[in-house]
Amino acid sequence: MIIHEVETYSENEMKALQLTRLQETLKRVYGNVPFYHSKFDELGLKPEDIKTVEDISKLPFTVKADLRNSKPFELFATSMKEVVRIHASSGTSGTPTIVGYTEGDINNWADIVARAIAIAGGEADGVFQNAYGYGLFTGGLGLHYGGERLGMATIPISGGNTTRQINIIEECKPTVIAGTPSYILRIAEEMESMGKDPLESSLKFGIFGAEPWSEELRKVLESKLGIKACDIYGLSEVMGPGIAMECHEAQDGLHIAEDHFIVEVINPDTLQPVPDGEEGELVFTSLTKEASPVIRYRTGDIASITRGTCSCGRTTARMSRVKGRIDDMLIIRGVNVFPSEIEECLLRNEDLVPHYQVHLYHEDAMDHVELHVEINEQIYRNCNDDLKNDYIKTVAKNVRHDMKNYCLVTMKVNVLAPGSIPRSEGKAIRIIDHRKKGLPV
Ligand code: DLL
């Protein structure tokens, strides 16, 4: 359901709105944030020099290190009196990036997420189970306020306590569920192991994101739960979930809330823009954020952008599924591989379940990959005991062969017993890098 006319704006209408908001944002950051003031001064730029949306390319980039290296609240563009909420993202280095929200920001965010839930199929008379973690992570509260704003009966169950999730699904009959795809898969599997048929649940739509996932995992989740599963994207530095949302009608790219964010795609090496349709690093500029606006924020996420009217009727630019983060890209003996490509290949194999881990080692001056995959319990159980070992060996051989063909990398493959790979309640941990810790192989 299209709930805001801005979703169908013409290119000119959208650009006019973006320009006004961009100019306001630039004045605010230049006037209130010393970091941006000096960055603009270094380039001899004043906010008035930005006269078209395209002029954005004159502005400096912002990177995660800029946010991490600043003191908490130093990059806020408003006084603390106006800040009503703090969220933080804690990355691999452990240094949290702190972001603030004014009442206006919280209000806009709720509107944006309400729109996103509607894009995914949610409606005011439905029940919405929110299995994203509540807390400093933006997933829980971000989806929560969006659900309420849309008018849905929103269940703040948060992540974890899988049996309770299943009981609530049975009791409250939600039509929409949100969570990381890896956690929703766990809920579906738990239903099966309790002897319940997930296809009989009330669920119709899923809002899944916060971690890379593949088309193959979409198929698994849709067929297990009998739902339409749609991808939601966002990051705390720019706002949180809702920056882009895939529509349930076309499932063909995520509609970007362009009235609140300008998107660019750049080549991460040359920092030059890449043409529409070509993959590169996503860069966002916030247009309405008051407390923590960001200018040309380099997300580290790899995707492409397409423009043109979608079959759902929306005209906003669409981003492709995120292939992965630049820093998650594995370079194995010169070949670039994203974990999402490994997932795509693995999930085509019916002998396996959609859980895996990639272990990285360094030995003999070379990087090595060891893939941990998990055997499909039903097939394994039905296999004659005498043949189980041979069966495992054959599966490992097939996976090695598929990886070599699809990802062009030779990997050691460990086929593990059902339930061996740890399940997550939030973002799944897929890559375990033993190289950094210098652990022996
Ligand atoms: O993950 C916000 C979010 C919450 C998005 C709920 C969607 C749903 P952060 O914790 O700051 O914020 O992590 C942001 O997660 O830069 C991406 O690398 C990754 N990410 C987020 N959504 C997707 C997605 C939230 N749909 C980082 N596909 C981003 C792939 C995603 N990666």
Side-chain angles (χ1 to χ4, degrees):
M1 189 183 40
I2 296 178
I3 62 172
H4 200 295
E5 58 177 0
V6 80
E7 296 177 81
T8 56
Y9 267 13
S10 68
E11 194 182 335
N12 284 344
E13 284 172 320
M14 187 59 85
K15 279 202 170 152
L17 178 64
Q18 286 183 326
L19 183 60
T20 313
R21 292 181 167 180
L22 177 64
Q23 287 168 334
E24 282 165 11
T25 299
L26 294 177
K27 271 188 214 138
R28 206 164 46 241
V29 299
Y30 190 72
N32 299 348
V33 187
F35 166 81
Y36 282 117
H37 192 103
S38 50
K39 272 191 120 178
F40 286 20
D41 281 355
E42 274 165 31
L43 295 171
L45 267 178
K46 293 269 182 279
E48 310 78 80
D49 296 333
I50 304 304
K51 296 190 168 67
T52 65
V53 169
E54 286 70 26
D55 283 343
I56 199 168
S57 61
K58 296 180 182 165
L59 295 167
F61 289 106
T62 310
V63 293
K64 199 172 186 110
D66 293 327
L67 309 191
R68 284 207 168 126
N69 297 338
S70 312
K71 292 197 192 86
F73 315 154
E74 198 179 12
L75 297 185
F76 285 8
T78 53
S79 72
M80 282 308 283
K81 205 173 154 208
E82 289 165 84
V83 175
V84 299
R85 170 101 62 87
I86 300 285
H87 279 284
S89 84
S90 151
T92 37
S93 86
T95 321
T97 309
I98 291 178
V99 283
Y101 301 77
T102 63
E103 207 180 318
D105 291 332
I106 295 290
N107 198 33
N108 280 333
W109 190 15
D111 279 343
I112 294 167
V113 178
R115 202 196 292 173
I117 299 172
I119 292 176
E123 291 187 21
D125 59 1
V127 176
F128 172 45
Q129 182 152 335
N130 185 15
Y132 277 113
Y134 281 61
L136 281 177
F137 173 53
T138 50
L141 290 176
L143 266 298
H144 181 95
Y145 283 93
E148 287 190 351
R149 178 63 51 90
L150 183 60
M152 297 195 77
T154 302
I155 308 172
I157 189 159
S158 191
N161 206 341
T162 309
T163 313
R164 185 133 194 252
Q165 301 270 358
I166 295 167
N167 290 341
I168 291 287
I169 293 175
E170 286 177 342
E171 294 293 319
C172 299
K173 310 228 174 318
T175 43
V176 181
I177 189 162
T180 56
S182 53
Y183 185 55
I184 303 297
L185 175 66
R186 179 165 168 207
I187 295 179
E189 286 176 340
E190 189 72 21
M191 281 181 175
E192 286 167 345
S193 70
M194 290 163 81
K196 299 175 193 285
D197 182 359
L199 282 175
E200 282 176 9
S201 85
S202 53
L203 294 170
K204 290 198 182 119
F205 300 103
I207 299 180
F208 306 148
E211 64 186 10
W213 57 305
S214 61
E215 273 308 307
E216 304 304 315
L217 185 53
R218 189 210 302 270
K219 282 185 210 144
V220 172
L221 289 166
E222 290 193 334
S223 62
K224 268 189 192 293
L225 287 155
I227 56 169
K228 281 272 180 119
C230 295
D231 197 359
I232 184 165
Y233 172 80
L235 63 165
S236 24
E237 291 85 352
V238 180
M239 183 189 72
I243 292 169
M245 180 77 229
E246 192 176 41
C247 62
H248 69 97
E249 294 95 339
Q251 293 183 308
D252 185 20
L254 290 76
H255 292 274
I256 296 169
E258 285 189 287
D259 47 332
H260 294 276
F261 311 98
I262 293 180
V263 63
E264 298 170 84
V265 185
I266 60 162
N267 175 319
D269 298 321
T270 63
L271 305 184
Q272 293 306 306
V274 303
D276 286 354
E278 221 171 83
E279 269 177 6
E281 180 179 359
L282 292 173
V283 173
F284 286 100
T285 298
S286 59
L287 295 175
T288 50
K289 278 204 76 187
E290 294 170 342
S292 297
V294 279
I295 306 299
R296 301 193 87 198
Y297 183 71
R298 290 185 56 187
T299 62
D301 293 324
I302 302 290
S304 59
I305 295 292
T306 49
R307 294 173 209 273
T309 308
C310 176
S311 61
C312 71
R314 294 181 180 85
T315 52
T316 39
R318 275 169 286 160
M319 58 179 260
S320 67
R321 194 178 264 298
V322 171
K323 191 169 177 185
R325 295 187 52 74
I326 298 171
D327 24 323
D328 280 349
M329 189 178 78
L330 311 169
I331 306 178
I332 312 295
R333 273 158 268 143
V335 182
N336 299 350
V337 189
F338 280 97
S340 58
E341 290 168 314
I342 296 179
E343 177 176 301
E344 218 169 280
C345 179
L346 282 181
L347 268 54
R348 292 196 194 127
N349 189 331
E350 288 183 355
D351 293 313
L352 303 173
V353 291
H355 299 283
Y356 65 95
Q357 278 188 332
V358 182
H359 290 254
L360 300 174
Y361 297 97
H362 192 76
E363 196 191 33
D364 299 333
M366 278 212 289
D367 286 338
H368 298 269
V369 184
E370 190 175 302
L371 196 56
H372 289 194
V373 294
E374 197 178 293
I375 202 83
N376 182 320
E377 190 169 7
Q378 271 166 349
I379 303 183
Y380 188 68
R381 245 201 254 131
N382 292 339
C383 181
N384 189 313
D385 277 350
D386 299 340
L387 300 176
K388 278 197 163 92
N389 269 346
D390 285 346
Y391 171 56
I392 295 266
K393 274 189 202 148
T394 311
V395 173
K397 191 171 146 222
N398 291 344
V399 173
R400 255 193 320 273
H401 178 263
D402 292 348
M403 286 297 150
K404 179 82 191 141
N405 273 346
Y406 188 75
C407 299
L408 309 177
V409 172
T410 306
M411 298 178 190
K412 191 172 166 194
V413 175
N414 257 355
V415 181
L416 304 174
S420 305
I421 294 185
R423 310 297 198 247
S424 75
E425 292 172 353
K427 299 189 189 222
I429 298 168
R430 305 276 198 217
I431 302 178
I432 295 144
D433 194 344
H434 303 272
R435 296 171 304 181
K436 291 174 190 153
K437 294 175 207 140
L439 290 179
V441 182

